[in-house]
């Protein structure tokens, strides 16, 4: 009971961070050039995936592979070991010798398929001139980001043990903030007029104002 109460309190305390990061996210996007062909292709890819998701299929197996691989990588980063690794059409499971917030929740906010795609193009570009495929890359980045978001929502609706153990409400809020942060970081690598540092600074400024307004209201 005590643990559940702590998780609820953490979730409530985290709400201002959700508000601040959301406002900062859209403020940062204001700097985008709406006439950019890269933005057009990125948005086109992003909104193409939901059609694929609804009309054709939900590629759970592909998502599960990436999801469990991130669990593995996060475990190694934190100094743990993986004792079992299983993937099926209905999902996957990884057993590790260590667990923490990062290990449990990282697959829900690390778009591993997008990262793999970008790394693949970067490695190939070291050996071949692939500038002619820049448009395809932009479209696929948008498509895979959307795939990550929609499939993450799908698995979160199943109340995964990782999320329940951390606290469902807190996990949802944390994953939301982490996802928009990672998405903006990805966009900052593509568009020169988007600054991830500016997003972080803006988030802290807005968050400070929210807390000041709250304390002023309480002290009145």
């Amino acid at each position: 009971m005590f643990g559940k109460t702590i998780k609820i309190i953490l979730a409530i305390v985290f709400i201002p961070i959700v508000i601040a990061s959301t406002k900062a996210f859209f403020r940062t996007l204001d700097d985008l050039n709406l006439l950019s062909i890269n933005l057009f292709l990125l948005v086109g890819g992003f909104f193409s995936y939901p059609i694929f998701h609804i009309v054709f299929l939900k590629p759970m197996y592909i998502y599960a592979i990436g999801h469990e691989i991130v669990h593995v990588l996060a475990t190694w980063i934190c100094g743990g070991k993986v004792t079992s690794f299983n993937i099926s059409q209905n999902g996957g499971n990884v057993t590790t010798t260590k667990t923490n917030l990062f290990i449990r929740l990282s697959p829900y906010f690390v778009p591993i398929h997008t990262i793999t795609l970008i790394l693949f193009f970067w490695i190939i570009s070291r050996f071949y001139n692939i500038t002619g495929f820049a448009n395809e890359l932009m479209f696929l980045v948008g498509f895979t980001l959307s795939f990550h978001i929609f499939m993450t929502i799908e698995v979160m609706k199943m109340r995964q043990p990782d999320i329940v153990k951390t606290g469902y409400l807190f996990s949802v809020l944390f994953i939301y903030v982490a996802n928009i942060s990672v998405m903006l970081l990805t966009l900052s690598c593509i568009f020169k007029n988007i600054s991830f540092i500016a997003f972080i600074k803006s988030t802290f400024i807005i968050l400070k104002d929210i807390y000041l307004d709250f304390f002023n209201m309480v002290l009145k």
Side-chain angles (χ1 to χ4, degrees):
M1 181 65 183
F2 180 73
K4 186 176 182 180
T5 302
I6 293 296
K7 291 174 183 177
I8 293 173
I9 293 173
L10 283 174
I12 294 172
V13 171
F14 207 77
I15 289 174
I17 300 176
V18 173
I19 297 171
S21 60
T22 301
K23 286 185 176 181
F25 179 81
F26 286 107
R27 283 184 183 179
T28 307
L29 290 185
D30 284 341
D31 295 330
L32 274 176
N33 178 8
L34 297 180
L35 299 179
S36 167
I37 184 64
N38 283 343
L39 178 61
F40 176 79
L41 291 167
L42 189 81
V43 172
F46 191 91
F47 285 105
S48 293
Y49 176 75
I51 298 173
F52 180 85
H53 186 92
I54 295 169
V55 176
F56 297 103
L57 58 87
K58 300 172 184 177
M60 179 59 75
Y61 188 77
I62 295 174
Y63 176 82
I65 292 173
H67 184 102
E68 302 307 336
I69 286 175
V70 175
H71 270 311
V72 170
L73 294 174
T75 300
W76 288 343
I77 289 171
C78 294
K81 295 180 180 179
V82 176
T83 56
S84 71
F85 183 93
N86 300 296
I87 300 290
S88 70
Q89 192 61 42
N90 298 319
N93 176 262
V94 170
T95 305
T96 64
T97 59
K98 187 174 185 178
T99 186
N100 55 39
L101 179 70
F102 176 66
I103 293 172
R104 287 196 296 269
L105 300 186
S106 54
Y108 301 96
F109 63 82
V110 175
I112 188 65
H113 300 87
T114 305
I115 294 171
T116 302
L117 172 71
I118 293 173
L119 282 175
F120 174 77
F121 268 78
W122 181 81
I123 291 171
I124 295 299
S125 70
R126 300 299 93 188
F127 304 97
Y128 303 100
N129 181 5
I130 58 171
T131 54
F133 295 95
N135 290 346
E136 287 79 2
L137 175 61
M138 286 300 105
F139 180 88
L140 289 174
V141 166
F143 190 89
T144 53
L145 280 174
S146 184
F147 162 72
H148 165 74
I149 291 171
F150 274 84
M151 290 304 300
T152 296
I153 293 172
E154 285 288 335
V155 298
M156 286 176 68
K157 288 191 295 185
M158 302 174 189
R159 298 185 72 86
Q160 295 288 315
D162 296 327
I163 295 176
V164 175
K165 186 174 182 179
T166 306
Y168 192 81
L169 181 57
F170 172 77
S171 294
V172 169
L173 297 176
F174 180 87
I175 290 167
Y176 169 80
V177 171
N179 265 300
I180 64 173
S181 300
V182 171
M183 188 179 298
L184 198 76
L185 178 61
T186 303
L187 293 177
S188 70
C189 296
I190 299 172
F191 301 99
K192 294 181 179 179
N193 49 346
I194 287 185
S195 170
F196 181 71
I197 300 299
F199 163 72
I200 296 298
K201 289 180 179 178
S202 181
T203 297
F204 276 105
I205 291 171
I206 297 169
L207 185 62
K208 180 192 69 174
D209 292 340
I210 291 173
Y211 282 129
L212 285 175
D213 289 343
F214 174 76
F215 287 121
N216 289 334
M217 181 180 66
V218 171
L219 293 174
K220 282 184 179 179

